[in-house]
Every structure is written in C-alpha cells, then in structure tokens.
C-alpha cells in the first residue's frame, strides 16, 4: 500500500529548543489517525509542519509521494485542509463568507465564485449543521459554533487529507460526538484521510483506526488503539495511573483515571491476592485497583476473562496456559505470590479437577494465618465438580475462621473500613 502522507525523519526547533526529533510515520489513504500525547509533546507542532505552516529543520513530508516543499500553496490546499486549534477571525465576515474562503484554491485571481462553488459551500454547511447560521457574523458565534464553521470551511476545500487540532475542545458533549461521527462518516463514505489531535483518550480510542502516541517530540508508540491505549503506556507517558476497560459494543479500550489522592497510605500499601477465574473476579479486580490496593491474581488461565481484566489493569498475574489444568509449578508460584500479600480473596469459582489447586491455595493461605476473605453467596456444593473433594476442603476452610462475605461490595467494605 502506498502512503497518502509520509513523514520522514522530521525534526523541528523553535529557536534552540528542539521540539520534534526525527519523527517518521506514514498514513495510508482513508486511514483515521489520532495524535495523542501530553501537553507540550509536540502534536500541534507536528501538524503545523505537515501543513507547511512551519518548515522542518530536517526531514521531509510527502503527500502522494510529492515533497510538500515542492508543491505550491494552492496545490496543497486542494488536497490537504486544516482545522486549527484556536480560530480567531477578527473581521466581521458572515458564516457563508468564511466557508466560501475554503474555495479559494479553486478560484482564479480575477474570477468570482461559480454556482459549483456555492453548491460545495452549501453541502459543507449542511454536513456541519451550520447552514442555519449562514447569514450570522462569525464574531457573534459561540466557540462551538465557530469550530463547526471552520470545519465547514475546510470541507469546502474538498480535501483528500484533513488535519484537525483538537476539534472537539470547545464543543459540548453532544457536538463532540457529532463532530467525531461526521469525521468518521467522511472518512468512510468519502475515503477522506483524517489526522486528528485529541486529548480525550477515549474519543481517540473509539474513533481512530490507529494512534500515534508522542512523548517529548518523539514517537513513543504507533498502532491500533488496543496496542496503544494500555495502562502501561499511559502511565509511562502521562505519569497517570489508569485502568483500561473494554468499551461496549466496540470492544475498544476505555480509560478510567485512578485518583489515589485521597486514599489513605495504609490502603495504598495493602496487598490483596485474588483467587478467581471465569469472570468471577473481574469487577473486584477493577474495584480494588480503583481503590488503590496493590492487587495480584492467580492462578488464571491466559485469555480467561478475569485474566483479560487483570492484564488491562496492569496487575501481577500468576498465569497458566489457556484451558490447561493448573500445574504444580503454577501452584507453587501462586503460593509464593500469596506469601507476599496481606489479604487473600477467594471468589465464587466453580471448582473442577483442573483448578482444585486454587482452592488448596486459599486453604494454605488460611493455614499460614493470612487474612482470607471468601465470597460465598452461592454455596460451593452448587459449583463443585470434583465429586466432593472440593466441597470437603471448602467446609474445612470455612471452619478456619475465614471472613465470609456475599458480594464485591462487602469485600470492599471490609478492606476499606479496616484500613481507615
Ligand atoms: N511558537 C513557539 N515558540 C516557542 N516554543 C513553542 C512555540 N509553540 C510551541 N512551543 C513549545 O513547543 C513544545 C510543543 O508544543 P506543541 O504546541 O506542539 O505541543 P502539543 O503537544 O500540541 O501541546 P498541547 O497538548 O498543550 O496543545 C512546547 O514545549 C511548547 O511550549
């Protein structure tokens, strides 16, 4: 696949301050790319270099294999349009006049606008829901209305590539989605290539095919939202603790910030090992991570739904191969993990011969004098597939003075209240 746009070892300095350092990536026609990264990481500067508002100190930008520096402004404007971050239009143009400016690359020096130009302008205003504002002076519009007018102006250029710098920043939540859906529609129906700077990681994850994560003017990672929006990457680049859930129905990563500010140190230091599996631990894992506890899990089969949640929350996992019975080696690793923690929680897992060692691990924890919390809304007898061996061991476990609770909230209650 040939690249629609290629950025090759692009470096840029403001004076002596090196902002972009050998940035290289390429964008295929029809791709929808999100540029993400912390404040000051160089996203706007990169867009400005792609748009020839700034010129690279080193490196090149190619549009359809042509070096941008060898293309005239009008030629570029017919293919590439920009929606800048802050749009201050000081003169009192009407909305229609502003959108008509998008036709400038198509109109000769002494020519006036044709019927076709007006047709394209009308269509751009319809798409952006600005037609009803046509006669209004732009200076009297709200920030969000103005943003949509500027998008309409860019669409009137009939570009093949659209660059947008934070197009949703002034918009209320409704229009944010409307703009993102419009961009997606233009991308799908008109094969428009979209490169958009977004601060909202969830919008970026939901709408973009690929994300480019910038850190200090360098590409930290480039890939699908699933590859890029991970707890590890976000913590590395933004320095923030997050948990990543799966957004329904897209299945894309969804970021939730963890605010550990007001959580007591005793809670942050408290280590909890969750013995779970088959989705019995997913909410508890998320809840405990959100509450600042140090969480580990095991033994979990890889690809199990609890394993997936644990992975996305970046917690330690003692893992076994998918669908494999727990091996002696994994069991011992589980005991070693349990040895390090303050509390062990056993969720309502069904037990069979393949995972009976997990019940034995909980029993071992109680024998060691660890605090063990057992979730027991549905008696084990109803989820015992070991011909009674599991149930017998479970009864002994309950007799050992473990804490028996009903659901997640009781586990949390117990752990949080004890730490206050
Ligand atoms: N005109 C300028 N002169 C000097 N330094 C600048 C200029 N514009 C930006 N910078 C600096 O370059 C760095 C990158 O800025 P840039 O605006 O590209 O970052 P950004 O990732 O878009 O940030 P934000 O998310 O805050 O919009 C910042 O440290 C910024 O202070």
């Amino acid at each position: 696949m040939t690249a629609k746009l290629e950025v090759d070892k692009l470096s840029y300095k403001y004076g002596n301050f090196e902002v972009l350092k050998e940035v290289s990536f390429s964008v295929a026609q029809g791709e929808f790319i999100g540029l993400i990264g912390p404040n000051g990481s160089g996203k706007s500067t990169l867009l400005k270099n792609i748009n020839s508002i700034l010129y690279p100190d080193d490196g090149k930008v190619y549009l359809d294999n042509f070096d941008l520096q060898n293309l005239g402004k009008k030629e570029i404007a017919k293919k590439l349009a920009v929606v800048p971050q802050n749009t201050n239009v000081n003169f009192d143009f009407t909305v229609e006049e502003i959108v008509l400016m998008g036709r400038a690359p198509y109109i000769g020096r002494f020519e006036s606008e044709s019927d076709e130009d007006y047709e394209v302008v009308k269509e751009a205003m319809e798409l952006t829901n600005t037609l009803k504002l046509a006669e209004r002076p732009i200076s009297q519009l709200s920030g969000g209305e103005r943003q949509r007018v500027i998008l309409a102006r860019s669409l009137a250029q009939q570009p093949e590539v659209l660059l947008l710098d934070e197009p949703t920043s002034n918009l209320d939540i409704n229009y944010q989605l409307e703009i993102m859906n419009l961009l997606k529609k233009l991308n799908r129906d008109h094969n428009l290539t979209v490169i958009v700077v977004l601060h909202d990681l969830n919008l970026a994850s939901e709408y973009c095919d690929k994300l480019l994560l910038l850190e200090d003017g360098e590409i930290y990672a480039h890939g699908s939202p699933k590859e890029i929006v991970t707890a590890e990457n976000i913590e590395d680049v933004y320095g923030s603790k997050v948990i990543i859930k799966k957004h329904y129905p897209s299945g894309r990563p969804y970021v939730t910030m963890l605010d550990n500010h007001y959580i007591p140190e005793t809670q942050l230091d408290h280590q909890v090992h969750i013995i779970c599996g088959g989705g019995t631990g997913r909410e508890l894992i998320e809840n405990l991570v959100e509450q600042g506890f140090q969480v580990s899990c095991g033994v979990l089969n890889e690809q199990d739904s609890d394993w997936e949640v644990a992975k996305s929350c970046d917690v330690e996992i003692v893992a076994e191969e998918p669908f494999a019975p727990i091996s002696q080696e994994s069991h011992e690793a589980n005991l070693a993990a349990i040895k390090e923690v303050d509390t062990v929680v056993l969720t309502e897992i069904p037990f069979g011969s393949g995972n009976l060692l997990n019940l034995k691990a909980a029993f071992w924890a109680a024998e060691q004098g660890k605090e063990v919390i057992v979730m027991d809304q549905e008696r084990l007898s109803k989820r015992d597939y070991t011909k009674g061996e599991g149930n017998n061991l479970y009864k002994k476990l309950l007799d050992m003075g473990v804490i028996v609770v009903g659901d997640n909230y009781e586990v949390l209650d117990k752990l949080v209240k004890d730490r206050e």
Side-chain angles (χ1 to χ4, degrees), residues 36 201 205 211 213 220-221 224-238 240-244 253-255 311-314:
I36 55 173
L201 296 176
S205 168
L211 298 174
L213 175 56
Y220 178 87
S224 67
K226 200 170 168 208
E227 289 163 331
I228 303 303
V229 183
T230 64
E232 212 178 343
N233 284 349
I234 305 300
E235 185 168 358
D236 267 5
V237 174
Y238 290 83
S240 305
K241 284 228 173 260
V242 295
I243 61 173
I244 310 291
Y254 187 89
V255 180
K311 204 76 191 144
S312 70
C313 290
D314 203 20

Side-chain angles (χ1 to χ4, degrees), residues 14 17 19 38-45 85 199:
Y14 288 109
F17 178 42
V19 176
N39 288 135
S41 54
K43 304 179 295 295
S44 297
T45 307
Q85 195 171 39
H199 274 130

Side-chain angles (χ1 to χ4, degrees), residues 273 296-301 307 315-320 329-338:
H273 186 81
S296 57
C297 294
V299 179
L300 282 175
N301 287 104
W307 178 86
V315 309
E316 297 259 331
I317 309 171
V318 180
E320 185 54 84
E329 195 186 350
S330 303
H331 176 56
E332 274 159 28
N334 206 24
L335 299 188
I338 288 172

Side-chain angles (χ1 to χ4, degrees), residues 89 93-107 113 117-131 133-134 136 138 141 145-158:
V89 183
F93 292 110
T94 66
V95 165
E96 188 181 44
E97 284 166 337
I98 296 280
V99 181
L100 205 48
M101 288 174 193
R103 298 304 294 160
Y106 297 89
I107 300 172
E113 300 85 5
D117 292 320
Y118 278 102
E119 206 40 54
V120 173
V121 163
K122 189 174 165 220
E123 203 184 321
M125 289 200 289
E126 271 170 355
L127 276 170
T128 50
N129 206 2
T130 51
L131 199 52
L133 307 172
R136 299 261 309 270
I138 187 131
L141 300 186
E145 288 167 336
R146 207 172 308 150
Q147 199 108 333
R148 286 184 286 130
V149 172
I150 301 305
L151 176 58
R153 183 183 65 184
S154 303
L155 295 180
Q157 280 174 243
Q158 296 183 300

Side-chain angles (χ1 to χ4, degrees), residues 247-259:
H247 195 231
Y248 181 81
S250 66
R252 300 275 180 108
Y254 187 89
V255 180
T256 306
M257 290 281 296
L258 295 179
D259 182 3

